[in-house]
Amino acid sequence: MLGLAKRTGARIFQASTSEVYGDPEVHPQPESYWGKVNPVGPRSCYDEGKRCAETLFFDYRRQHNLNIKVARIFNTYGPRMHPNDGRVVSNFIVQALKGEPITLYGDGTQTRSFCYVDDLIEGFVRLMRMPGDFTGPVNLGNPGEFTMIELAERVKDLTGSQSELTYEPLPTDDPKQRQPDIQLANAAMGWEPTVGLIEGLEHTIAYFEQLLAR
Ligand code: UDP
């Protein structure tokens, strides 16, 4: 893809990830933080793959002056998620709507910061419209940070579900906390999220209600 962008003179976008920060020791995570990634664990293929992709993008930038745009995407959710993709927001909503136990991994005190999909897309559009000298990496995410227990409780409240909370083992190398520092996106692109967790969950729950009713 980088070779194709070079040949055609295209701008090229890298959908990178907050996983480049691994299980971070700096909180919240600014783009300048190099991360704490286990190179040989079960998540490493994804984390290191994305880190390597960023490296290749910046090598092409240095060698060929390619117009690259690198966004580090933090946890994102919204309508059209796949009900079985295993991520926490879709899992909890589907479980709550079906009255099944809500599966908390570990003790549920780990945190994530959830960005509604429309806000993320707005960030992509602004990034692609930035001048060529703005390459990123730039964090895109919502700094509102919640524990998984808080998320489960909000999903239960909003769905009116009677589902119980159950506890399952924490996956290996599951990051304990994650929150984007979005000062760069805000200063350079005038971007910040506008949809809070409750509103975003309402839209997402409505989507899954329709999907499950089919
Ligand atoms: N998680 C959970 N129950 C689930 C699915 C995920 O408690 O049914 C936890 C998971 O261990 C992690 C957090 O929710 O701490 C976010 O998981 P997800 O896979 O959505 O995103 P990521 O770990 O990539 O940030």
Side-chain angles (χ1 to χ4, degrees):
M1 295 301 290
L2 285 160
L4 183 63
K6 183 184 149 200
R7 281 199 300 282
T8 59
R11 273 170 301 172
I12 183 164
F13 172 73
Q14 160 67 359
S16 189
T17 171
S18 55
E19 289 279 321
V20 300
Y21 301 121
D23 192 6
E25 286 166 322
V26 171
H27 194 74
Q29 295 81 53
E31 291 85 353
S32 54
Y33 176 50
W34 289 358
K36 181 182 160 229
V37 173
N38 174 358
V40 294
R43 294 177 92 96
S44 308
C45 194
Y46 184 72
D47 298 6
E48 299 287 24
K50 289 286 192 176
R51 288 165 66 95
C52 184
E54 288 197 11
T55 306
L56 292 172
F57 268 63
F58 280 88
D59 282 344
Y60 266 75
R61 169 81 182 171
R62 279 183 286 268
Q63 288 191 10
H64 307 294
N65 202 29
L66 206 62
N67 188 351
I68 61 165
K69 307 285 182 202
V70 178
R72 290 183 177 156
I73 302 167
F74 283 65
N75 296 68
T76 300
Y77 69 101
R80 302 197 180 188
M81 292 180 86
H82 195 284
N84 297 323
D85 83 358
R87 281 181 289 169
V88 69
V89 174
S90 42
N91 272 13
F92 284 6
I93 292 176
V94 170
Q95 289 162 346
L97 291 175
K98 289 182 169 174
E100 294 172 353
I102 294 181
T103 51
L104 285 156
Y105 299 162
D107 63 8
T109 59
Q110 70 272 36
T111 67
R112 294 291 186 275
S113 304
F114 297 102
C115 186
Y116 188 66
V117 60
D118 290 8
D119 283 330
L120 183 74
I121 300 300
E122 175 65 25
F124 290 174
V125 171
R126 290 190 190 206
L127 175 57
M128 294 312 281
R129 287 182 180 155
M130 290 293 286
D133 61 354
F134 188 83
T135 57
V138 59
N139 289 337
L140 294 178
N142 189 322
E145 185 182 2
F146 299 88
T147 66
M148 295 311 100
I149 294 176
E150 288 170 335
L151 177 68
E153 295 293 355
R154 280 177 175 69
V155 168
K156 275 192 68 170
D157 289 347
L158 293 168
T159 54
S161 173
Q162 299 300 312
S163 290
E164 55 176 317
L165 306 186
T166 59
Y167 291 83
E168 296 189 2
L170 189 68
T172 307
D173 294 338
D174 197 271
K176 280 169 210 60
Q177 55 181 5
R178 185 182 287 152
Q179 185 191 34
D181 179 331
I182 59 165
Q183 288 180 68
L184 175 62
N186 190 237
M189 317 195 300
W191 178 85
E192 65 181 352
T194 59
V195 181
L197 185 65
I198 300 292
E199 184 191 345
L201 285 178
E202 284 171 351
H203 295 315
T204 312
I205 289 166
Y207 169 77
F208 278 113
E209 275 173 341
Q210 279 191 351
L211 190 78
L212 296 178
R214 275 186 219 149

